[in-house]
Amino acid sequence: MHSRRAVLRMGTVVGLATVAGCAAPRAEPTSRLGDIGVPNPGNPVYRTWLPASADAEDPDDIGSAAIRYVDVDRALERGDTLSAGLAGSLFEFWAFGDWFGHDLADLEGLLVIGGGPLTIAYIGEIDATEAESGLEASEYDPLESDGAADLFVRRDQPRLVGVTASGVVQTELADSSDESIERGRVRIGSLVDAHAGERDRRHESEAAFDRVTERLGRGIRTTVPLEPLEWMPEGSAWGSSLDATDEEAVRRASVTLPDDHAMDGEGDDLEDAFASHLEDAWGDEATVYADSSGLEGVVTVTDEPIGEISTAVPPRTTLAFEYDEDEQTATVTNRAGDALERSQLTITVDGQTGDGLQLEDGSFEPGDRFNVHGLPGDVVVGFEYQLESGAYVTLGQFVGSRELTVDPDDDLEA
């Protein structure tokens, strides 16, 4: 065993806060996290929605995509344990998409699937009648469905939504063609069928995915899997999560090694490489533990906390954007959902905020609209909203009459 583990536990750290080397196999996957005040993460229930890979060569296959999950109940309980920036990042994807008659607090979690078209599963007890009414107000049309989900399509900003009693699944479409809608059906159906137990689930068929999600657990936000870094042994898997104790927030990452891999002779190098990567990605000292099954890294979040995490929750609004090429004018409509405070809504053009684009005070209610003049058809128009916490979220981005697809970029990509 390496003595540096005992030194770290006594609080003496020099340089990188790493702990090298060997350890007895652990009885519980996250038992060592308790040594630094991180609770065991609990059962990762989001896995029940994730289907096993049907075709690893298919770029749209959910089984090969990175995912994020936010446990809503757990996140909203945290109060002042998270910084405004991190709290905002938890719910960044709640701001995207369309109103379906439910508030964030109604849900158990948000499951975001990247890779290919952005797809989000809003998990919880869903009132189908309210969801249908909300979607119709958001200009969705019902489609005939042959599966477990009731399907609705929005054609002007192409999206497909599936409604079930256990969750609403929304996916972006390349266009409103029958071919794109059919691909959306397949994507939504794969999640719905996995949750219903009618399709193999990923954690039941991939040992590496099962181990890394077991280590990460529920989390407030969990991100798995990530592309293996160049120094990781072949066959490794890893992911990250954001969690909080009663007093502080922590970011955690876990690497699982192949079953036949031995740490002998390279433990220190792997730990140092992992600590360096986490420190580069997260901007603070990383503590890394290692044992025969893998590596665990933790970085404490030191930003100033917010008073109530609910102040970092974005509004849920369906924005419509119609462009008149002859007049170079865009009409922006709040179709459904929450009212917005005009003073908190900012318009950006090609990423730049102009002094004359800040809206006047007052509410931007569902049904209200305004015009933006002098816009060339190829510029990107964005709508940013300042939350009560002070953080900003993007409610939508458009170019001409076509919405831009915004893929989630994970902050731990190499």
Side-chain angles (χ1 to χ4, degrees):
M1 301 292 289
H2 294 267
S3 61
R4 281 191 289 166
R5 186 183 304 276
V7 171
L8 178 67
R9 288 181 176 172
M10 291 172 62
T12 302
V13 182
V14 178
L16 295 179
T18 60
V19 182
C22 54
R26 296 170 298 164
E28 297 293 335
T30 56
S31 61
R32 293 206 183 279
L33 295 177
D35 295 334
I36 50 176
V38 184
N40 287 344
N43 183 33
V45 294
Y46 63 87
R47 296 186 304 184
T48 62
W49 284 84
L50 296 173
S53 178
D55 182 359
E57 300 301 320
D58 183 356
D60 291 332
D61 184 42
I62 290 174
S64 62
I67 66 161
R68 288 182 178 181
Y69 179 74
V70 176
D71 189 301
V72 171
D73 288 341
R74 195 170 190 186
L76 293 179
E77 287 175 355
R78 294 299 180 176
D80 61 358
T81 60
L82 291 179
S83 70
L86 285 174
S89 73
L90 292 176
F91 301 110
E92 60 189 310
F93 295 105
W94 176 245
F96 286 107
D98 295 304
W99 176 247
F100 56 88
H102 291 69
D103 293 322
L104 180 65
D106 296 335
L107 305 177
E108 297 173 11
L110 279 70
L111 178 63
V112 182
I113 299 100
L118 179 64
T119 302
I120 305 178
Y122 306 95
I123 300 169
E125 293 185 10
I126 299 299
D127 184 312
T129 300
E130 289 186 10
E132 179 178 348
S133 177
L135 289 168
E136 288 180 349
S138 298
E139 297 294 319
Y140 277 78
D141 297 320
L143 289 176
E144 183 177 350
S145 174
D146 55 2
D150 294 328
L151 296 176
F152 299 83
V153 64
R154 180 180 174 185
R155 298 180 186 275
D156 63 332
Q157 309 294 336
R159 295 180 179 133
L160 190 69
V161 170
V163 177
T164 76
S166 301
V168 172
V169 184
Q170 175 181 270
T171 189
E172 294 187 336
L173 305 177
D175 50 50
S176 58
S177 67
D178 291 344
E179 181 181 359
S180 292
I181 291 174
E182 181 58 30
R183 292 179 70 181
R185 282 179 183 263
V186 172
R187 192 169 177 87
I188 289 174
S190 64
L191 273 81
V192 172
D193 290 346
H195 180 65
E198 297 175 0
R199 173 171 169 166
D200 290 341
R201 294 164 176 158
R202 183 169 183 181
H203 73 283
E204 295 168 346
S205 62
E206 293 183 31
F209 185 79
D210 180 63
R211 289 195 299 267
V212 75
T213 51
E214 187 70 25
R215 282 178 178 252
L216 293 174
R218 294 168 60 194
I220 293 178
R221 186 184 71 181
T222 301
T223 304
V224 288
L226 301 173
E227 289 296 322
L229 303 175
E230 60 182 11
W231 51 265
M232 290 182 181
E234 184 176 356
S236 299
W238 78 296
S240 67
S241 67
L242 173 66
D243 211 331
T245 67
D246 292 337
E247 298 180 353
E248 63 185 3
V250 294
R251 305 186 79 164
R252 182 173 63 249
S254 181
V255 177
T256 60
L257 300 173
D259 290 333
D260 59 353
H261 184 79
M263 290 282 284
D264 297 343
E266 63 173 349
D268 290 1
D269 292 339
L270 292 180
E271 292 155 36
D272 288 346
F274 197 31
S276 295
H277 182 75
L278 296 182
E279 289 172 0
D280 288 342
W282 289 339
D284 216 329
E285 281 192 330
T287 302
V288 173
Y289 288 91
D291 61 21
S292 58
S293 62
L295 307 169
E296 291 176 2
V298 175
V299 171
T300 300
V301 177
T302 56
D303 295 342
E304 288 296 317
I306 60 174
E308 286 292 337
I309 199 171
S310 60
T311 65
V313 177
R316 181 72 169 181
T317 304
T318 295
L319 293 181
F321 183 91
E322 298 177 31
Y323 182 71
D324 186 322
E325 187 172 0
D326 293 334
E327 299 292 332
Q328 290 195 327
T329 297
T331 300
V332 182
T333 306
N334 183 346
R335 279 187 176 166
D338 298 330
L340 304 175
E341 290 299 321
R342 290 176 180 266
S343 61
Q344 294 169 236
L345 181 64
T346 300
I347 303 172
T348 64
V349 178
D350 281 346
Q352 301 299 313
T353 302
D355 293 338
L357 296 180
Q358 188 77 38
L359 299 176
E360 297 179 355
D361 290 347
S363 294
F364 186 39
E365 303 280 348
D368 290 352
R369 62 182 60 193
F370 61 83
N371 293 328
V372 183
H373 301 283
L375 293 177
D378 59 350
V379 300
V380 177
V381 182
F383 300 95
E384 293 188 350
Y385 196 74
Q386 185 177 24
L387 306 177
E388 293 179 48
S389 66
Y392 285 85
V393 295
T394 299
L395 299 179
Q397 287 183 308
F398 305 86
V399 55
S401 61
R402 176 175 56 84
E403 184 184 20
L404 289 178
T405 297
V406 182
D407 289 328
D409 293 323
D410 194 273
D411 53 6
L412 278 186
E413 291 288 355

